[in-house]
Tab-separated table of all heavy atoms in Angstrom:
chain	number	residue	atom	x	y	z
A	546	GLY	N	-37.323	20.294	-28.142
A	546	GLY	CA	-37.089	20.518	-29.571
A	546	GLY	C	-35.632	20.831	-29.868
A	546	GLY	O	-34.791	20.855	-28.962
A	547	GLU	N	-35.296	21.041	-31.152
A	547	GLU	CA	-33.948	21.490	-31.548
A	547	GLU	C	-33.739	22.890	-30.998
A	547	GLU	O	-34.656	23.713	-31.068
A	547	GLU	CB	-33.870	21.612	-33.080
A	547	GLU	CG	-33.912	20.327	-33.850
A	547	GLU	CD	-32.607	19.565	-33.784
A	547	GLU	OE1	-31.611	20.099	-33.233
A	547	GLU	OE2	-32.592	18.420	-34.274
A	548	PRO	N	-32.541	23.185	-30.480
A	548	PRO	CA	-32.309	24.560	-30.058
A	548	PRO	C	-32.208	25.479	-31.299
A	548	PRO	O	-31.372	25.239	-32.165
A	548	PRO	CB	-30.980	24.487	-29.305
A	548	PRO	CG	-30.344	23.206	-29.729
A	548	PRO	CD	-31.420	22.295	-30.223
A	549	GLN	N	-33.099	26.482	-31.415
A	549	GLN	CA	-33.172	27.333	-32.616
A	549	GLN	C	-32.521	28.688	-32.436
A	549	GLN	O	-32.047	29.297	-33.379
A	549	GLN	CB	-34.649	27.576	-32.996
A	549	GLN	CG	-35.480	26.326	-33.125
A	549	GLN	CD	-35.360	25.706	-34.502
A	549	GLN	OE1	-34.710	26.261	-35.374
A	549	GLN	NE2	-35.960	24.545	-34.685
A	550	GLU	N	-32.541	29.168	-31.210
A	550	GLU	CA	-32.057	30.534	-31.019
A	550	GLU	C	-31.143	30.599	-29.806
A	550	GLU	O	-31.599	30.628	-28.670
A	550	GLU	CB	-33.265	31.464	-30.808
A	550	GLU	CG	-32.883	32.929	-30.758
A	550	GLU	CD	-34.050	33.823	-30.346
A	550	GLU	OE1	-35.221	33.480	-30.623
A	550	GLU	OE2	-33.769	34.859	-29.710
A	551	LYS	N	-29.843	30.608	-30.059
A	551	LYS	CA	-28.888	30.670	-28.947
A	551	LYS	C	-28.955	32.035	-28.301
A	551	LYS	O	-29.338	33.015	-28.945
A	551	LYS	CB	-27.475	30.394	-29.467
A	551	LYS	CG	-27.317	28.976	-29.960
A	551	LYS	CD	-26.218	28.268	-29.215
A	551	LYS	CE	-26.307	26.786	-29.525
A	551	LYS	NZ	-25.237	26.002	-28.972
A	552	GLY	N	-28.557	32.087	-27.022
A	552	GLY	CA	-28.622	33.376	-26.352
A	552	GLY	C	-27.684	33.432	-25.164
A	552	GLY	O	-26.803	32.568	-24.996
A	553	GLU	N	-27.911	34.424	-24.337
A	553	GLU	CA	-27.028	34.704	-23.210
A	553	GLU	C	-26.944	33.521	-22.241
A	553	GLU	O	-27.968	32.954	-21.859
A	553	GLU	CB	-27.582	35.914	-22.461
A	553	GLU	CG	-26.491	36.689	-21.759
A	553	GLU	CD	-27.105	37.785	-20.895
A	553	GLU	OE1	-28.014	38.474	-21.399
A	553	GLU	OE2	-26.676	37.900	-19.744
A	554	GLY	N	-25.715	33.177	-21.881
A	554	GLY	CA	-25.517	32.144	-20.868
A	554	GLY	C	-25.387	30.734	-21.432
A	554	GLY	O	-24.921	29.827	-20.740
A	555	ASP	N	-25.786	30.543	-22.697
A	555	ASP	CA	-25.752	29.190	-23.264
A	555	ASP	C	-24.321	28.640	-23.337
A	555	ASP	O	-24.056	27.508	-22.912
A	555	ASP	CB	-26.338	29.167	-24.685
A	555	ASP	CG	-27.831	29.465	-24.698
A	555	ASP	OD1	-28.352	29.923	-23.658
A	555	ASP	OD2	-28.477	29.238	-25.739
A	556	ALA	N	-23.445	29.456	-23.894
A	556	ALA	CA	-22.068	28.986	-24.076
A	556	ALA	C	-21.415	28.702	-22.722
A	556	ALA	O	-20.672	27.726	-22.560
A	556	ALA	CB	-21.251	30.032	-24.838
A	557	GLU	N	-21.732	29.534	-21.727
A	557	GLU	CA	-21.146	29.352	-20.395
A	557	GLU	C	-21.636	28.049	-19.761
A	557	GLU	O	-20.887	27.357	-19.076
A	557	GLU	CB	-21.501	30.526	-19.465
A	557	GLU	CG	-20.789	31.830	-19.782
A	557	GLU	CD	-21.386	32.571	-20.972
A	557	GLU	OE1	-22.394	32.092	-21.549
A	557	GLU	OE2	-20.820	33.619	-21.344
A	558	LEU	N	-22.916	27.754	-19.982
A	558	LEU	CA	-23.470	26.523	-19.410
A	558	LEU	C	-22.808	25.301	-20.045
A	558	LEU	O	-22.422	24.351	-19.363
A	558	LEU	CB	-24.988	26.493	-19.657
A	558	LEU	CG	-25.836	25.683	-18.682
A	558	LEU	CD1	-25.517	26.003	-17.229
A	558	LEU	CD2	-27.310	25.924	-18.972
Side-chain angles (χ1 to χ4, degrees):
E547 291 285 353
Q549 308 275 356
E550 187 188 330
K551 293 238 168 175
E553 208 187 315
D555 293 13
E557 288 78 2
L558 206 49

